[in-house]
Amino acid sequence: MSRQVRAVVLCEDRAHWHFARAFLVACGWNERQLASRIAPTAKGAAEQWVRDTFPGELRTYRRKASERICLIVIIDGDPQDVETRIRGLEAAIQRQPADHVAIFVPCRNIETWVGYLSGLPVDETTAYHQLKKGHSRAKPAEVLADHCTQHRPLADAPPSLVAARCH
């Protein structure tokens, strides 16, 4: 018997996946009901892979709506802003009101959010390479989950993180 997938996380890399999984589990999701679709390494730009894969994942989601409750897309903003990235993803599809699709665009990348949620001063133009390896994604994701579930604002949060909480 196969597991009942409730959420699929489509993302650029394992850092996105580990952050998303920790966040969803901290919000009460069962880890066994989460599935990942991570861009393959050394196969070109991960951001492009997410954009190319998104329409097919959305079609699969719609065909199996009884099995998949939501689709979560995480794609780095890099030098672009949140709305530009979202428009780029949505250009290939016709999103419907019934779609349970969340698109999160950490700018510059997920390390910005990890740094902020770890208590570090951050901006959305600096690449925080020191947070890429050996820095836990779980604790910052749990901090975010606590703020979200308690409906507490994030003081001086990066704009892309504020935008993500609104979707």
Side-chain angles (χ1 to χ4, degrees):
M1 180 170 85
S2 67
R3 66 184 179 172
Q4 182 76 17
V5 174
R6 293 187 56 215
V8 173
V9 178
L10 173 64
C11 56
E12 290 187 29
D13 56 34
R14 294 203 177 281
H16 286 168
W17 165 241
H18 291 298
F19 185 88
R21 182 183 63 205
F23 173 79
L24 292 167
V25 168
C27 286
W29 289 71
N30 182 333
E31 187 171 357
R32 294 172 41 119
Q33 295 176 319
L34 304 175
S36 65
R37 293 273 289 136
I38 303 169
T41 56
K43 300 278 185 186
E47 170 271 326
Q48 181 67 47
W49 182 88
V50 171
R51 282 191 290 126
D52 292 346
T53 305
F54 178 57
E57 279 298 310
L58 186 59
R59 282 191 298 276
T60 300
Y61 156 80
R62 287 174 178 162
R63 275 196 315 271
K64 298 181 177 185
S66 64
E67 295 176 33
R68 293 185 174 175
I69 295 174
C70 69
L71 175 61
I72 300 164
V73 181
I74 307 173
I75 188 167
D76 286 338
D78 295 325
Q80 296 183 357
D81 63 23
V82 174
E83 290 306 316
T84 302
R85 278 287 195 229
I86 291 173
R87 278 194 308 274
L89 283 167
E90 291 181 335
I93 56 110
Q94 190 69 18
R95 244 169 115 177
Q96 300 169 359
D99 290 338
H100 290 100
V101 177
I103 300 173
F104 301 108
V105 184
C107 294
R108 165 163 185 147
N109 51 40
I110 194 71
E111 286 76 29
T112 304
W113 290 7
V114 168
Y116 168 78
L117 295 164
S118 298
L120 302 174
V122 297
D123 62 67
E124 293 193 324
T125 58
T126 303
Y128 296 95
H129 298 294
Q130 74 275 19
L131 299 177
K132 285 190 182 280
K133 300 248 187 232
H135 196 84
S136 171
R137 303 291 183 266
K139 188 65 178 165
E142 291 165 6
V143 168
L144 180 59
D146 183 58
H147 275 82
C148 290
T149 58
Q150 300 298 319
H151 304 288
R152 291 194 328 257
L154 294 165
D156 300 319
S160 64
L161 183 54
V162 172
R165 292 192 67 213
C166 295
H167 287 97

